[in-house]
């Protein structure tokens, strides 16, 4: 990057969501006029790459169900969308079908019943189980306190997040999108921003017509930079905060094979991962200091013992005997208002857009969400009605709550 740089669209954040926005914008805009800023090109500390990369339809809101349905269609047809012309290798992100299993105690049963009804209305192949039916299908579970459960017969599962990220990156580069190793450091009132080039260690000015904040767990901090350049009546506080989670890779000799992604009461989440398992507590820790987000290191076994093991062994007794193989730190971009995505234009500043706050379901909804935002930005009717996910609800303090967040 040198001299005065001008782009039609600048997308800050080159994770899966930012890449999806860029890919979908190429359908409407000359790709050479699009720039993606990504300060971590190796993605070693990328929330996308460290995600569980699971996809489900069992949400409580129709919008989230439709976003996931559209996204999984894209994933199942991914080679048609993201193969680079001339490449012989099929684009394969190792998608594997594997249902989510929701379990509800008496106090949560009405909520699960309501969610199941919403899912059926959206043509989800969801199965409802009473306690005796759960015992028959999942005999390894302790169901003493469980009265209701649900799983899904199709279009749920998981995939390799690194392969999805790489496929997007290779595709948009082949189309001519500019991917630059830069970090946003400030905004100017004249539709320009300051970027620090990590290769040259220089700060330069980048002019743009439209700007997209897709910086994930850094979204609040990026927005704070914008606020510092605005008058007080134009500032907008983005209710998105990083939430740290500890994932453990564990072995259990007597554990069930092909364990679905099981969401236990008391916030323990586990699923099969090859011959072993990955498990975490979904009760994450909020992080307010951006410097702390550099912590993607090893986990402490004490976190497993204190936060997970007792509840896991109670729900699946075989896990009384468990060996910890390793683990990692991951993050959600958590929407503190209603745990739902925020997709659309800035409430006060024209041509500034957000796509943030997915609260753990961003990577799975990235294909459809990126397409919706690109359509909005280009004046095209979105292929899905996501009007309830606009930022208006933040301004009006009108939460639109997703009740199935783990």
């Amino acid at each position: 990057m040198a001299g005065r740089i001008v782009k039609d669209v600048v997308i800050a954040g080159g994770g899966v969501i930012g890449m999806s926005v860029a890919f979908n914008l190429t359908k409407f805009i000359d790709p050479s006029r699009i720039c993606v800023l990504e300060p971590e090109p190796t993605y070693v500390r990328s929330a996308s790459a460290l995600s569980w990369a699971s996809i489900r339809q069992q949400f409580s809101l129709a919008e989230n169900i439709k976003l996931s349905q559209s996204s999984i269609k894209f994933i199942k047809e991914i080679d048609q969308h993201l193969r680079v012309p001339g490449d012989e290798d099929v684009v394969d992100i190792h998608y594997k079908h594997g249902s989510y299993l929701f379990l509800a105690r008496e106090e949560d049963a009405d909520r699960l019943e309501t969610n199941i009804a919403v899912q059926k209305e959206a043509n989800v192949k969801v199965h409802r189980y009473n306690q005796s039916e759960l015992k028959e299908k999942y005999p390894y579970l302790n169901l003493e306190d469980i009265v209701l459960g649900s799983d899904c017969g199709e279009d749920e599962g998981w995939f390799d997040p690194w392969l999805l990220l790489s496929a997007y990156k290779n595709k948009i580069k082949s189309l001519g999108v500019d991917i630059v190793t830069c970090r946003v450091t400030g905004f100017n009132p004249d539709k320009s921003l300051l970027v620090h080039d990590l290769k040259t260690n220089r700060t330069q000015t980048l002019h743009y017509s439209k700007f997209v904040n897709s910086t994930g767990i850094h979204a609040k901090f990026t927005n704070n930079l914008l606020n510092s350049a605005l008058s007080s009546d134009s500032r907008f506080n983005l209710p998105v905060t990083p939430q740290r989670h500890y994932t453990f890779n564990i072995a259990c000799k007597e554990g069930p094979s092909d364990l679905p992604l099981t969401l236990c009461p008391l916030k323990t989440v586990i699923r099969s991962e090859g011959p072993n398992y990955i498990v975490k507590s979904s009760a994450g820790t909020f992080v307010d200091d951006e410097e702390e987000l550099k912590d993607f290191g090893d986990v402490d076994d004490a976190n497993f013992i204190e936060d997970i093991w007792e509840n896991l062994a109670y729900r699946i007794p075989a896990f009384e005997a468990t060996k910890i193989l390793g683990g990692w730190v991951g993050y959600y971009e958590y929407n503190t208002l209603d745990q739902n995505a925020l997709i659309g234009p800035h409430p006060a500043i024209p041509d500034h857009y957000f796509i943030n706050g997915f609260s753990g379901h961003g990577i799975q909804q990235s294909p459809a969400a990126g397409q919706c935002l690109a359509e909005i930005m280009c004046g095209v009717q979105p292929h899905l009605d996501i009007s309830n996910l606009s930022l208006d609800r933040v301004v009006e303090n009108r939460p639109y709550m997703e009740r199935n967040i783990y």
Side-chain angles (χ1 to χ4, degrees), residues 125-286:
K125 299 296 189 294
V126 61
H127 305 295
R128 177 193 181 280
Y129 302 98
N130 60 31
Q131 188 186 66
S132 62
E133 291 167 334
L134 282 169
K135 286 179 179 178
E136 183 176 354
K137 185 167 185 181
Y138 300 105
Y140 52 81
L141 291 174
N142 172 12
L143 298 166
E144 180 180 2
D145 58 335
I146 300 298
V147 299
L148 188 66
S150 70
D151 65 17
C152 188
E154 65 180 25
D155 290 347
E156 293 194 334
W158 39 89
F159 52 88
D160 187 318
W162 172 254
L163 292 178
L164 178 60
L165 185 58
S166 298
Y168 267 125
K169 185 175 183 179
N170 291 339
K171 181 66 174 181
I172 68 170
K173 284 181 68 176
S174 75
L175 293 170
V177 173
D178 198 9
I179 303 175
V180 185
T181 308
C182 283
R183 182 184 303 279
V184 177
T185 59
F187 287 81
N188 298 313
D190 62 345
K191 276 193 174 179
S192 68
L193 51 85
L194 300 176
V195 294
H196 180 68
D197 189 321
L198 301 182
K199 290 184 177 179
T200 65
N201 200 31
R202 295 172 58 196
T203 297
Q204 300 187 71
T205 302
L206 176 57
H207 294 261
Y208 59 88
S209 296
K210 297 181 179 182
F211 176 83
V212 178
N213 182 343
S214 66
T215 53
I217 59 176
H218 299 273
K220 176 175 69 174
F221 307 109
T222 303
N223 187 63
N224 289 344
L225 293 174
L226 176 61
N227 279 340
S228 67
L230 299 176
S231 60
S232 58
D233 59 341
S234 296
R235 292 171 186 162
F236 171 75
N237 292 321
L238 186 67
V240 175
T241 297
Q243 187 185 53
R244 180 182 292 138
H245 293 265
Y246 301 99
T247 290
F248 294 87
N249 189 347
I250 62 174
C252 178
K253 186 176 181 181
E254 303 299 327
S257 60
D258 293 324
L259 181 68
L261 197 155
T262 304
L263 299 116
C264 308
L266 303 181
K267 299 291 188 179
T268 299
V269 186
I270 185 170
R271 70 164 166 86
S272 289
E273 181 73 0
N276 300 310
Y277 309 88
I278 52 177
V279 62
K280 68 179 179 181
S281 168
S282 59
T285 303
F286 291 120

Side-chain angles (χ1 to χ4, degrees), residues 367-387:
Q371 181 179 346
C372 285
L373 182 60
E375 290 162 341
I376 291 168
M377 293 174 65
C378 297
V380 176
Q381 182 69 30
H383 73 291
L384 299 174
D385 181 2
I386 59 165
S387 55

Side-chain angles (χ1 to χ4, degrees), residues 54-73:
S54 304
I55 187 165
R56 61 180 162 118
Q57 299 181 76
Q58 292 180 80
F59 286 97
S60 68
L61 295 176
E63 288 84 356
N64 284 325
I65 296 170
K66 296 298 184 183
L67 282 167
S68 285
Q69 288 173 331
S70 178
S71 293
I72 201 164
K73 182 176 186 297

